[in-house]
Amino acid sequence: MSTLKITPLGGLGEVGKNMMVYESDGEIVVIDAGLAFPRDEHLGVDLVLPDISYLRDNADRVRAVLLTHAHEDHVGALPYLMREVRIPEVWGTRLTLGLLQPKLDEHGLAQAAELKEARPDDGAVQIGSFRAEFIRMAHSVPDTVAIALEVGGLRILHTGDYKLDHTPVDGLRTDVGRLAELGNRGVDLMLGDSTNAERPGFTGSEKLVGEAFRQIIPTRQGRVLVASFASNVHRMQQAVDVAVETGRKVCIIGRSMRKNLNIARNLGYLEAPDDTFIRPPELEELAPHEAMILCTGSQGEPMSALTRIAYNDHPAVTVDRGDTVILSAKPVPGNELRVHDTINRLAKGGAEVLHQEIAPVHVSGHGMAEEIRTVLGLVRPKAVMPVHGEFRMLAAHAQLARDSGVPAGSIVLAENGSVVELDERGPRIVDRIETGVTFVDGLGVGDVRDVALRDRRHMSEDGVLIVVATVGANGAQPTGSPELIVRGFGESESLLDELRGESARVMDRCLEQDVTEIKLLQEHLHDELAQLIYDRTGRRPMILPVIVEV
C-alpha cells in the first residue's frame, strides 16, 4: 500500500481560497483553486489567492486540477495558478467549465489546459496514478460534485460544498446511493465541508425560496428587485419563473450576473421565454408592477449594482416608495455593516426590504449538523479531516465525527500548510510547508506582500494627492471648496487650480443626484481626479479622498 500526502494550501481556518494538494508516487493532483476577497485592512488589494509556491516548485509533477463546483472560492484562483504552473488537464462538470471558460479567455489562457468534462454518471477516470470518481451533490450552484480519489490502495472522499436537498430546483439530489456504495467499498479518509457544522438541524430546501417568492411577489404593486449571488442559477430561475407567472419583464443588472445567466441559458441550466428579458433602458417604458430586476450587490459591495441603486448612483435604476427589494443571500462574515447600510438607504428611499431575518427568502447551500451526521453515516470513513471553514467550524465537524464513532485519534484538525500523510495506519500530520497569501492588485499578482510597502513605493514613484472635501449634515451642499495636499508629481499652480475646480464639480454633481454615501463620494473623486492627472502628467499618484461631515 502506498502513502498519500495531503497538503491544504487554503480553505482551513478560513472561509475561502480552497485548494488541496494530493501527492502519491511522485504525482500531484489538485482539488479546487479558489480565491478570497480582501478585508478592510487590505488597502488597494483586489483579490486574495493561496500561496502557490509549493506547486510552482513541483510544477513538473502536477497532473491535473479537479474542480468541485463553480464558486469563486473554489475556481477563482485557477487562472492565476495556470499563469505560473502548466496544468495538463482541468476536470469539471459542464456548467463549471462553462462558467470557467470566460475567466480563462480574459487571462489569455483559452488553450493553456485541456478542459475535460466530469460526468458523475460515467464512472471513474484515470489521471496518472490517481483514479477519480465524481459524485453528484446538491449545493447553491448546479453541477456540484464530490470527488473520490483512489491511489495505491487508499481511497479518500473530498466532499466539496454540499447539502442534502430533497427537493432541488433541477431535481438532481445529492447522490446518497453512490455515497453509501462508496462507504461499502471502504473510505480511508473523508475530507468534509464544515461551513455549517456548528448549526443544528437541516438546511432548508432551495424550493422554499421559490415558494416565498410566489407568496411575496404577486401581491406587490411596485417594482421588485431581487439581489443574490451571480452564481446562484437556481435562485435566478425561481425568480424568473415567478416573473413570467405574474406578467413581469426581467432586467438583469450587474455584469457578472448577466454573464452567468447567459451562460446558464445557453447550456440549458436556466429556461425562460426569450421575450422575458429586457435591457435597462427599457425599464422606463414599463409600469412599476410590470418589472422585476435581478441584480448583484447582496453583500453591500461599494460599487455593486444594488449599492449604487440604494445611493441613487445607478444610471438606469432607482427605488421609489412602493418598491420591494428582496435580499436573497446571507451576509458573508465581515460584510454585515455594509449590508445594513444598504438596507437603511433602500428603506430611506421608500422601498420595503425583505431579508432572511424577517422573511424566508434565503437558504444556505451548506449542510448543517444533521446532514453532516447523515453523510458520515453513509460513508462510514475510517478517518475524518474537516475542511472548508474557520477553525471553530472544523472543531464542530470533528465533534460530529466523534459522535458518529470515528476514533479521536483518526480525526485530523489541520491548518493551511500542514502535511498530512495517509497510509494503512491512518492519517497523521508529519510536516509543515510555508504557506501564506498572494495579493492581486490590478494587473500585479504577488508583488504586493506588504500593503504598507506597496503604498510607500507607490507614493515614492508617482506622488500623492490628498483631497479634503466637506459636506453638511445629511448630505447638504459643501460648506467650502475642497482643499488639496499634493506631493511628488510635478504639481503646478495651474494644475492645482484645475484639480480644485474638478473636485468641486464632482462634489456638486454627486450631491445634486443625492449621492451622499461617503465611499461613493470618495470613489467618484478618486476616479475623476486620477483621469485628469493622468491626462495632464502621464502619472498615477496615490489619491486619498477625505470626506468630512460638518
Side-chain angles (χ1 to χ4, degrees):
M1 184 176 284
S2 300
T3 297
L4 176 62
K5 257 186 8 178
I6 305 164
T7 307
L9 299 184
L12 273 69
E14 61 187 352
V15 174
K17 63 184 181 69
N18 299 286
M19 183 182 284
M20 193 71 67
V21 177
Y22 294 90
E23 298 178 66
S24 185
D25 298 331
E27 296 182 321
I28 290 175
V29 298
V30 181
I31 292 186
D32 288 335
L35 55 75
F37 293 100
R39 298 190 299 270
D40 286 343
E41 63 265 30
H42 295 145
L43 296 172
V45 171
D46 297 317
L47 302 171
V48 182
L49 311 178
D51 182 351
I52 61 168
S53 303
Y54 184 75
L55 292 176
R56 192 186 301 115
D57 295 342
N58 295 276
D60 59 321
R61 301 200 286 128
V62 177
R63 298 291 172 263
V65 174
L66 284 57
L67 303 173
T68 58
H69 63 286
H71 280 153
E72 289 291 296
D73 61 331
H74 291 258
V75 304
L78 184 57
Y80 301 95
L81 173 63
M82 290 171 63
R83 285 188 192 178
E84 304 285 329
V85 178
R86 182 182 171 273
I87 308 295
E89 301 174 357
V90 175
W91 287 82
T93 55
R94 188 159 169 259
L95 181 63
T96 301
L97 295 181
L99 296 176
L100 173 66
Q101 186 69 64
K103 300 180 193 297
L104 299 182
D105 293 344
E106 288 175 10
H107 287 260
L109 297 167
Q111 307 301 321
E114 185 178 0
L115 302 185
K116 294 196 167 185
E117 185 179 338
R119 297 183 177 93
D121 300 326
D122 282 5
V125 297
Q126 198 71 35
I127 303 169
S129 58
F130 290 85
R131 189 169 176 270
E133 289 181 62
F134 303 93
I135 301 164
R136 191 173 300 286
M137 307 293 270
H139 185 42
S140 54
V141 62
D143 256 9
T144 294
V145 291
I147 298 172
L149 286 180
E150 288 185 42
V151 63
L154 296 168
R155 184 180 294 112
I156 69 101
L157 173 66
H158 187 116
T159 69
D161 294 352
Y162 72 90
K163 63 192 284 189
L164 299 183
D165 191 339
H166 298 298
T167 56
V169 173
D170 58 5
L172 298 172
R173 303 172 181 84
T174 291
D175 195 340
V176 294
R178 285 279 300 282
L179 293 175
E181 188 266 332
L182 194 69
N184 291 338
R185 282 189 269 154
V187 172
D188 295 290
L189 177 66
M190 184 178 99
L191 297 91
D193 177 13
S194 307
T195 308
N196 275 342
E198 295 178 295
R199 303 176 66 187
F202 291 88
T203 303
S205 170
E206 180 65 29
K207 280 269 178 79
L208 295 174
V209 178
E211 292 169 10
F213 288 171
R214 282 185 170 81
Q215 291 176 2
I216 294 166
I217 293 171
T219 64
R220 307 293 152 147
Q221 295 304 308
R223 282 180 176 174
V224 174
L225 291 81
V226 180
S228 73
F229 285 110
S231 60
N232 201 332
V233 175
H234 290 154
R235 197 71 50 88
M236 287 192 279
Q237 177 73 74
Q238 295 189 106
V240 169
D241 287 346
V242 178
V244 172
E245 292 166 12
T246 55
R248 291 177 183 262
K249 298 296 184 183
V250 179
C251 181
I252 310 298
I253 304 288
R255 187 175 70 92
S256 58
M257 182 167 281
R258 189 163 53 247
K259 180 182 70 175
N260 287 2
L261 183 134
N262 288 337
I263 292 169
R265 287 189 75 200
N266 290 338
L267 294 177
Y269 288 88
L270 190 148
E271 297 179 354
D274 289 338
D275 63 354
T276 302
F277 300 98
I278 60 171
R279 294 167 49 250
E282 297 174 70
L283 282 169
E284 296 181 4
E285 302 170 12
L286 298 177
H289 69 276
E290 296 175 327
M292 174 187 286
I293 295 164
L294 297 185
C295 63
T296 54
S298 61
Q299 298 302 304
E301 306 95 316
M303 294 306 290
S304 65
L306 187 63
T307 302
R308 295 186 66 191
I309 292 167
Y311 287 93
N312 292 321
D313 189 43
H314 196 278
V317 183
T318 58
V319 292
D320 298 306
R321 192 161 302 282
D323 291 346
T324 303
V325 179
I326 297 174
L327 273 178
S328 192
K330 179 184 178 182
V332 172
N335 288 347
E336 293 90 349
L337 290 179
R338 288 178 180 171
V339 173
H340 294 163
D341 286 345
T342 300
I343 292 172
N344 287 330
R345 286 295 304 198
L346 290 165
K348 188 176 180 182
E352 180 181 2
V353 184
L354 301 176
H355 50 86
Q356 67 161 12
E357 300 295 330
I358 59 175
V361 293
H362 173 67
V363 293
S364 175
H366 300 268
M368 294 185 189
E370 291 304 319
E371 289 154 278
I372 294 173
R373 279 198 181 95
T374 300
V375 170
L376 286 165
L378 289 167
V379 176
R380 305 184 304 284
K382 298 174 186 174
V384 168
M385 178 174 163
V387 296
H388 299 169
E390 298 173 7
F391 199 85
R392 59 191 171 88
M393 302 167 186
L394 307 182
H397 192 164
Q399 184 60 51
L400 293 172
R402 282 192 290 272
D403 294 345
S404 298
V406 180
S410 298
I411 299 170
V412 179
L413 281 171
E415 300 177 280
N416 292 337
S418 298
V419 179
V420 178
E421 203 169 81
L422 176 67
D423 56 25
E424 71 276 2
R425 294 169 295 171
R428 61 202 173 279
I429 298 174
V430 297
D431 198 2
R432 178 168 184 80
I433 65 168
E434 199 63 40
T435 57
V437 297
T438 302
F439 293 128
V440 177
D441 178 18
L443 298 177
V445 180
D447 54 354
V448 183
R449 292 289 176 153
D450 183 324
V451 176
L453 286 177
R454 192 288 313 268
D455 288 345
R456 292 171 191 166
R457 189 182 312 117
H458 189 170
M459 287 188 282
S460 69
E461 291 172 352
D462 282 329
V464 60
L465 166 65
I466 301 173
V467 188
V468 182
T470 57
V471 295
N474 299 318
Q477 287 296 318
T479 58
S481 298
E483 297 181 18
L484 305 182
I485 302 170
V486 182
R487 294 291 184 274
F489 61 91
E491 60 276 10
S492 65
E493 197 57 45
S494 60
L495 177 59
L496 292 179
D497 288 341
E498 197 171 356
L499 290 171
R500 285 191 195 94
E502 184 64 19
S503 301
R505 281 191 291 276
V506 171
M507 291 295 294
D508 288 342
R509 186 168 66 246
C510 288
L511 295 174
E512 283 170 7
Q513 296 171 358
D514 198 26
V515 177
T516 58
E517 202 272 332
I518 298 297
K519 286 192 170 163
L520 287 174
L521 289 172
Q522 291 172 328
E523 193 83 27
H524 282 281
L525 275 173
H526 177 280
D527 292 350
E528 297 288 344
L529 297 183
Q531 188 61 52
L532 176 60
I533 292 169
Y534 185 77
D535 290 344
R536 299 293 182 270
T537 68
R539 306 187 74 168
R540 298 190 184 278
M542 177 177 288
I543 299 175
L544 302 173
V546 178
I547 309 295
V548 179
E549 290 184 295
V550 296

